[in-house]
């Protein structure tokens, strides 16, 4: 699979606070055992799902655990988030942790990953509370963007699903506009989290701060 970064690359791994020794160990020793695309799934997946920007990893971990026959690729660039998902899989108190057979981590920009995927490769795509890039001059960086929407439409199989959530009013308006101008997906929009969508940490913070999330479920036509 070709995952070379395009010229508009924004991210390598993004560092936060200095890591604790356990986090250093997770990145240096445990991550290479479940790093996509170097390590294939240890199952023959029924379908492949991709989550972009998994944050603390609660959504990815829950869906991958609940669906052991699905190959789940979880992408994140922020080191603290990557460590957070790794420590769900390898808790401190487990002496010989094992990767989940169906969960793999991609720790770089998810956009070139998506662009390198074959047509119809994915059955589901998750974009939960993407960075909003509220300034108009940064609109090109938004994951929901006509150009990337065409890529998502290419990579999702017919009947495949793309879930998007956002609490940011500018991003909500933008998403409604971009989705209103396309014909590749049937779209439903809700202000209550649909059944079966695991909650995320960012969502909890947004609701506690009084922001109203919007949830879009897109079906590839
Ligand atoms: C606002 S947070 C939301 C995290 C999580 N989905 C949640 O709901 O709690 C957005 C996350 O997307 C990640 N991200 C942004 N652009 C990305 C990209 N191109 N590829 C992979 N991850 C990305 C950021 O590092 C950040 O952790």
């Amino acid at each position: 699979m070709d995952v070379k970064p395009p010229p508009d690359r924004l991210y390598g791994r993004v560092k936060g606070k200095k890591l604790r020794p356990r986090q250093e160990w997770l990145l240096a020793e445990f991550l290479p055992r479940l790093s996509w695309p170097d390590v294939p799934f240890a199952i023959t997946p029924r379908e492949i799902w991709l989550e972009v920007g998994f944050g603390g990893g609660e959504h990815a971990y829950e869906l991958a655990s609940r669906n052991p026959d699905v190959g789940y690729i979880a992408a994140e660039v922020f080191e603290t988030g990557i460590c957070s998902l790794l420590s769900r899989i390898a808790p401190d108190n487990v002496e010989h942790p094992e990767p989940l057979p169906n969960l793999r981590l991609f720790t770089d920009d998810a956009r070139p990953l998506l662009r390198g995927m074959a047509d119809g490769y994915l059955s589901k795509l998750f974009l939960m509370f993407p960075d909003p890039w509220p300034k108009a001059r940064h609109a090109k960086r938004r994951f929901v963007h006509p150009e990337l929407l065409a890529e998502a439409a290419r990579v999702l199989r017919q009947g495949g699903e793309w879930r998007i959530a956002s609490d940011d009013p500018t991003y909500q308006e933008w998403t409604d506009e971009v989705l209103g101008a396309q014909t590749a997906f049937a779209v439903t929009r809700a202000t209550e989290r649909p059944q079966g969508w695991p909650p995320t940490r960012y969502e909890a913070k947004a609701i506690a701060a009084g922001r109203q999330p919007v949830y879009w479920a897109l079906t590839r036509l």
Side-chain angles (χ1 to χ4, degrees):
M1 188 191 308
D2 178 18
V3 292
K4 273 204 286 308
D8 64 336
R9 177 177 181 162
L10 295 173
Y11 298 100
R13 276 248 205 108
V14 179
K15 292 184 189 299
K17 278 194 257 170
K18 188 171 162 33
L19 299 175
R20 296 190 305 275
R22 171 75 185 172
Q23 292 175 309
E24 299 273 11
W25 178 85
L26 286 169
L27 289 178
E29 305 293 333
F30 195 63
L31 176 60
R33 297 178 59 195
L34 62 161
S35 190
W36 185 263
D38 308 330
V39 184
F41 296 115
I43 56 157
T44 303
R46 163 174 73 81
E47 297 184 342
I48 312 278
W49 298 358
L50 169 66
E51 179 170 348
V52 174
F54 61 70
E58 52 284 320
H59 180 278
Y61 187 76
E62 184 170 339
L63 282 188
S65 310
R66 255 204 253 151
N67 298 279
D69 53 350
V70 160
Y72 200 105
I73 305 168
E76 177 57 66
V77 289
F78 193 53
E79 268 188 356
T80 315
I82 296 165
C83 288
S84 168
L85 178 51
L86 289 172
S87 52
R88 277 173 215 281
I89 307 164
D92 278 4
N93 56 355
V94 175
E95 202 179 338
H96 298 294
E98 285 299 321
L100 292 187
N102 66 324
L103 175 61
R104 295 292 174 261
L105 268 61
F106 182 74
T107 57
D108 208 324
D109 188 339
R111 295 169 307 162
L113 174 69
L114 192 77
R115 290 189 181 110
M117 285 176 170
D119 296 0
Y121 184 71
L122 292 180
S123 294
K124 289 191 197 289
L125 174 61
F126 305 102
L127 182 68
M128 309 310 292
F129 301 91
D131 292 328
W133 297 109
K135 292 189 179 137
R137 69 171 190 280
H138 290 147
K140 185 105 177 64
R141 298 182 184 180
R142 296 177 190 153
F143 201 93
V144 174
H145 188 279
E147 191 195 309
L148 223 61
L149 191 130
E151 278 302 295
R154 181 186 67 74
V155 168
L156 276 163
R157 67 160 172 78
Q158 200 181 12
E161 186 188 16
W162 182 8
R163 297 180 182 176
I164 306 171
S166 176
D167 63 308
D168 181 86
T170 309
Y171 208 92
Q172 291 171 351
E173 202 181 309
W174 165 266
T175 301
D176 284 334
E177 198 182 308
V178 172
L179 297 182
Q182 59 77 44
T183 53
F185 294 97
V187 180
T188 62
R189 183 190 199 276
T191 49
E192 288 283 316
R193 178 158 29 81
Q195 280 239 321
W197 292 31
T200 78
R201 189 151 44 166
Y202 190 86
E203 174 193 55
K205 281 194 205 158
I207 292 170
R211 295 191 297 273
Q212 169 64 62
V214 174
Y215 306 86
W216 294 265
L218 282 60
T219 306
R220 180 72 173 101
L221 296 170

